[in-house]
Amino acid sequence: MAVCLLKNGKSFWMMQQDTFWLKNIFDLRFEENYEYDAIFDQIGFDNASQRAEWINGANFFVHANNSTIKFFEAVARKLAHWYTPDMGIMIHQCHTWSEPKCNYIPHKIANSWEWMYTNQKNPPYILQLDCETDGSSKLMQLAKFGFYFMNSDNHRVCNQTAVEYARKRMEDGKIEVSRNRLSWGRFQFKVYWWIVDHMLSTPIIGALIKPYLPLIGFIIMITI
């Protein structure tokens, strides 16, 4: 799909559906900036993270041009033959290719579930709520954190009051995480990121393996 859009001259946003919008990211007009060819959300919760500038791959914008066409053609080609996550390929290419020019959405604009386990200061515009699953319904798991927005009497209708309440709790830094038991998904990610952070913090070696580790990192995860 990405290659098809780009070949037809269509720049595009990729927006993951498990992302909560505190503010409208489109107000920042990333689409009008041509200093980069693509701008991606990133893993980690701030710029000091060892995983900063690793693509998360949930929310990103791509300008249509020849270099981005080649970029996503290569992603598609590698996915057809390699057992590796798409974001691992994109991380590798952004760190090792001279073109396209990749940039990264600041963590204060786009962040992940990790933000909820910080002091919850400076809430981001958008918060991607991946990894929070205990093997059952992801929506039900997120409801425990206050991120469920359907009417109780009609699950096809959005409860705007619930949305505003979640926004208020984000702004106040009051997303309640301590009452929720450690889910299987979050446990995996906590262990995985602990291992990865220690590997990346190794002098000299960490910098050398940073572009390549995401290609094989899946081997230390068990996904259910």
Side-chain angles (χ1 to χ4, degrees), residues 18-220:
D18 59 357
T19 302
F20 181 74
W21 289 45
L22 178 65
K23 299 178 183 178
N24 187 356
I25 194 173
F26 296 145
D27 290 341
L28 301 177
R29 302 183 182 278
F30 286 114
E31 310 93 325
E32 298 176 9
N33 190 332
Y34 287 88
E35 294 180 358
Y36 46 76
D37 297 302
I39 185 165
F40 299 93
D41 57 351
Q42 50 186 325
I43 298 172
F45 58 85
D46 61 25
N47 290 335
S49 171
Q50 295 290 341
R51 290 166 276 119
E53 298 191 358
W54 267 12
I55 295 169
N56 185 33
N59 300 283
F60 57 86
F61 175 76
V62 183
H63 286 294
N65 58 44
N66 288 335
S67 62
T68 56
I69 290 173
K70 292 177 181 178
F71 182 90
F72 282 97
E73 282 180 334
V75 171
R77 184 170 60 252
K78 292 170 184 176
L79 284 174
H81 299 284
W82 298 3
Y83 181 58
T84 190
D86 54 358
M87 48 78 70
I89 296 172
M90 291 193 289
I91 291 169
H92 174 257
Q93 292 181 176
C94 275
H95 282 261
T96 59
W97 288 22
S98 59
E99 291 183 344
K101 183 176 181 181
C102 299
N103 206 338
Y104 303 93
I105 303 173
H107 290 95
K108 64 182 180 180
I109 303 300
N111 216 313
S112 70
W113 61 273
E114 291 182 83
W115 176 84
M116 296 193 298
Y117 295 89
T118 67
N119 58 15
Q120 297 191 8
K121 301 295 183 182
N122 303 314
Y125 274 57
I126 59 175
L127 182 68
Q128 200 232 347
L129 299 163
D130 200 2
C131 104
E132 280 300 341
T133 175
D134 57 2
S136 58
S137 167
K138 183 174 183 177
L139 287 178
M140 292 300 99
Q141 183 71 14
L142 293 177
K144 298 176 182 178
F145 294 86
F147 294 103
Y148 186 79
F149 310 117
M150 298 295 101
N151 280 338
S152 57
D153 58 345
N154 187 344
H155 297 298
R156 295 178 179 270
V157 178
C158 178
N159 184 337
Q160 188 61 36
T161 300
V163 174
E164 295 303 325
Y165 181 60
R167 282 181 174 151
K168 182 66 166 59
R169 290 194 302 130
M170 272 191 70
E171 290 170 346
D172 295 341
K174 294 182 178 179
I175 303 296
E176 297 184 15
V177 295
S178 59
R179 295 190 307 172
N180 295 282
R181 69 180 180 85
L182 187 67
S183 71
W184 172 245
R186 182 157 50 89
F187 172 75
Q188 287 188 90
F189 273 96
K190 283 173 70 71
V191 173
Y192 177 66
W193 292 143
W194 183 85
I195 295 171
V196 166
D197 285 346
H198 278 73
M199 294 175 71
L200 293 176
S201 64
T202 304
I204 302 176
I205 295 176
L208 291 175
I209 66 174
K210 187 167 185 175
Y212 304 95
L213 187 58
L215 292 170
I216 60 171
F218 69 91
I219 64 176
I220 58 175

